[in-house]
């Protein structure tokens, strides 16, 4: 298959499952449509994140057995079926079965995301921009499209039946993407050396470190994605224009993070890049906790989205930096990505606590800001003898010496 065709297939799948980041558009209408509290409206995203963790944890074995294309096709199809199911139950004002649908849908999102990362890595081994940008651009485009359509059709006034039908149509479109991906699958595009894949082994020190890094990097973003509409409505209440339209344009920050990640990584190095991302987000969040201004709130929000996309784009390179065989990359990265879903659940819990009292918004911003600043400072000053995370002037001999000392 031509590289352009592979890129389009990968983008289409990321676009489809990236709509998980737009669940806030539905979340904002659930209290009105199905009669639940605002705190319960965050649960669908939390269930999807739980499924996401399960998906990335089980994806490696699927890729080994069926190949990346078939795994991505299965994940996108499952997400489409889940969206159809959610629309069906929403039209009947039945909230509880919707949660099961989003749990299964999150499972599909995890399959697709990791499989597409593998597909892009193989198709563009020497093109860092393609590997970095397709994921964030797909997710941001999918979410932006949902917010844009929500603005056009004014979800705030539609009933449950109309919105349910809209979800059903979206689910059918996602299934079509999954089916087309399956039809375009490259024969024999599988990982046949399953005997070398480690099973049920504990996380290595490097995987634990990268999981912690992912936890702190994804925490502000996943907390924001769990409640995009309430957050933007709260901080942009003084501005003209529809919140959904503003959310559509804000997704450009997420895409920009993926596009600029290779340049940032090249000039700063992975370690310094993450230090800057943590400290800038932390500074904005701490300031926002003290001065709740509209402009400052939007700047903090856009910075969080940009850093979210940048961090996810840099992370696969850090996983590969140790020189692990290509057939084991998906196994190691999948174990690390479990943290992604866990952070999403934690973000929902945090938003549930905030919804009980709007006065806690500044407290949550302060706590997140201090966490970001603290981790950024620790990351800068504490030695981490890991390949790909040290300054370029550190020699290979120094790394070997540090490694021998650590093992002893």
């Amino acid at each position: 298959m031509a590289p352009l065709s592979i890129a389009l297939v990968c983008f289409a799948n990321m676009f489809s499952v990236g709509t998980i980041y737009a669940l806030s558009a539905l979340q904002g209408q659930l209290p009105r449509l199905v009669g639940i509290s605002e705190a319960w409206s965050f649960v669908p995203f939390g269930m999807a994140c739980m499924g996401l963790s399960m998906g990335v944890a089980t994806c490696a074995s699927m890729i080994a057995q069926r190949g990346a294309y078939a795994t991505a096709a299965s994940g996108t199809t499952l997400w489409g079926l889940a969206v159809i199911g959610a629309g069906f139950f929403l039209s009947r004002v039945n909230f509880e079965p919707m949660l099961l649908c989003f749990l299964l849908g999150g499972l599909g999102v995890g399959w697709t995301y990791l499989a597409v990362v593998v597909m892009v890595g193989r198709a563009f081994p020497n093109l860092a921009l393609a590997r970095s940008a397709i994921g964030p651009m797909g997710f941001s485009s999918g979410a932006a499209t949902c917010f844009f359509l929500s603005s056009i059709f004014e979800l705030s006034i539609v009933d449950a039946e109309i919105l349910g039908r809209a979800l059903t149509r979206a689910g059918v479109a996602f299934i079509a993407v999954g089916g087309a991906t399956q039809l375009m699958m490259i024969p024999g595009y599988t990982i046949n050396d399953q005997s070398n894949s480690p099973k049920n082994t504990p996380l290595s020190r490097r995987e634990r470190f990268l999981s912690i890094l992912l936890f702190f990097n994804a925490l502000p973003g996943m907390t924001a994605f769990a409640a995009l509409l309430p957050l933007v409505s709260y901080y942009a209440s003084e501005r003209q224009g529809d919140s959904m339209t503003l959310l559509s344009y804000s997704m450009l920050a997420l895409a920009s993070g993926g596009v600029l990640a290779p340049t940032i990584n090249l000039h700063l190095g992975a370690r310094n890049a993450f230090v800057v991302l943590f400290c800038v987000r932390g500074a904005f969040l701490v300031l926002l906790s003290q001065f709740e201004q509209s402009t400052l709130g939007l700047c903090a929000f856009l910075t969080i989205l940009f850093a979210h996309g940048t961090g996810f784009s840099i992370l696969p390179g850090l996983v590969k930096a140790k020189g692990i065989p290509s057939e084991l990359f998906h196994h190691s990265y999948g174990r690390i990505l479990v943290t992604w879903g866990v952070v999403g659940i934690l973000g929902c819990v945090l938003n549930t606590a905030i919804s009980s009292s709007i006065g806690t918004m500044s407290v949550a911003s302060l706590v997140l800001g201090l966490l970001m600043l603290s981790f950024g400072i620790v990351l800068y000053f504490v030695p981490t003898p890991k390949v790909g995370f040290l300054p370029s002037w550190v020699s290979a001999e120094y790394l070997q010496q540090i490694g021998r000392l650590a093992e002893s």
Side-chain angles (χ1 to χ4, degrees):
M1 186 184 297
L4 179 59
S5 299
I6 296 175
L8 291 175
V9 168
C10 292
F11 176 82
N13 280 273
M14 285 295 199
F15 179 97
S16 300
V17 300
T19 53
I20 189 176
Y21 277 177
L23 281 182
S24 185
L26 175 64
Q27 171 260 328
Q29 308 305 321
L30 287 178
R32 174 179 65 88
L33 296 176
V34 297
I36 60 173
S37 65
E38 184 180 358
W40 272 95
S41 68
F42 299 108
V43 177
F45 186 77
M47 294 298 288
C49 289
M50 183 182 298
L52 174 62
S53 284
M54 297 165 56
V56 293
T58 58
C59 184
S61 61
M62 290 187 63
I63 293 176
Q65 295 171 6
R66 304 181 57 198
Y69 274 81
T71 302
S74 299
T76 304
T77 300
L78 182 57
W79 173 244
L81 290 172
V83 173
I84 291 175
F88 174 82
F89 290 113
L90 176 61
S91 63
R92 285 155 179 76
V93 196
N94 198 345
F95 178 66
E96 288 77 11
M98 290 177 60
L99 301 181
L100 178 59
C101 290
F102 284 117
L103 176 65
L104 295 175
L107 183 70
V109 173
W111 290 348
T112 296
Y113 181 84
L114 183 54
V116 169
V117 170
V118 172
M119 291 162 60
V120 171
R122 292 176 177 173
F124 306 100
N126 300 316
L127 192 56
L129 180 59
R131 298 195 308 272
S132 172
I134 287 180
M137 287 183 65
F139 265 66
S140 61
S141 299
T145 300
C146 290
F147 291 129
F148 181 72
L149 293 176
S150 299
S151 175
I152 291 177
F153 295 106
E154 299 182 350
L155 289 191
S156 60
I157 62 174
V158 301
D159 59 24
E161 184 177 355
I162 294 176
L163 184 53
R165 287 201 299 266
L167 288 175
T168 300
R169 296 189 185 99
V172 171
F174 301 153
I175 291 175
V177 172
T181 303
Q182 182 69 43
L183 292 175
M184 299 177 69
M185 182 179 65
I186 298 176
Y189 199 79
T190 58
I191 301 173
N192 298 317
D193 191 9
Q194 300 178 46
S195 61
N196 293 330
S197 298
K199 294 179 174 62
N200 301 322
T201 57
L203 291 176
S204 66
R205 287 181 298 176
R206 182 178 182 80
E207 288 173 337
R208 288 196 299 269
F209 173 75
L210 292 180
S211 295
I212 294 172
L213 180 68
L214 175 59
F215 177 91
F216 284 100
N217 184 72
L219 181 59
M222 295 304 285
T223 302
F225 282 118
L228 283 177
L229 184 57
L231 285 174
V232 171
S233 299
Y234 178 72
Y235 285 115
S237 57
E238 302 173 0
R239 293 178 174 268
Q240 299 293 328
D242 178 55
S243 295
M244 290 292 188
T245 303
L246 183 59
L247 278 175
S248 300
Y249 290 116
S250 69
M251 291 300 109
L252 289 172
L254 178 64
S256 299
V259 172
L260 297 178
T263 303
I264 295 174
N265 191 25
L266 178 64
H267 288 86
L268 296 180
R271 180 189 181 117
N272 289 334
F274 274 107
V275 168
V276 171
L277 293 175
F278 282 123
C279 291
V280 171
R281 276 177 293 182
F284 269 121
L285 287 169
V286 170
L287 288 173
L288 187 61
S289 68
Q290 305 302 312
F291 310 99
E292 290 194 355
Q293 299 176 358
S294 173
T295 301
L296 184 58
L298 290 178
C299 288
F301 175 62
L302 294 176
T303 302
I304 287 172
L305 295 185
F306 178 83
H308 190 80
T310 305
F312 267 92
S313 296
I314 295 176
L315 194 60
L318 296 179
V319 178
K320 296 177 181 178
K322 192 177 180 180
I324 62 173
S326 59
E327 64 270 14
L328 297 183
F329 164 76
H330 58 289
H331 177 86
S332 181
Y333 193 35
R335 285 148 58 101
I336 294 168
L337 283 175
V338 171
T339 306
W340 181 19
V342 173
V343 172
I345 298 172
L346 182 59
C348 291
V349 172
L350 182 59
N351 280 294
T352 300
I354 293 174
S355 67
S356 62
S357 174
I358 197 65
T360 61
M361 186 81 77
S362 59
V363 176
S365 180
L366 178 62
V367 171
L368 282 176
L370 292 177
L371 279 175
M372 294 300 104
L373 283 172
S374 299
F375 190 76
I377 293 171
V378 169
L379 188 62
Y380 181 79
F381 286 104
V382 174
T384 52
K386 303 294 180 180
V387 178
F389 225 80
L390 289 170
S392 58
W393 48 264
V394 178
S395 65
E397 289 77 14
Y398 178 80
L399 288 175
Q400 292 172 0
Q401 293 174 7
I402 291 294
R404 285 194 292 268
L405 288 174
E407 290 175 356
S408 61

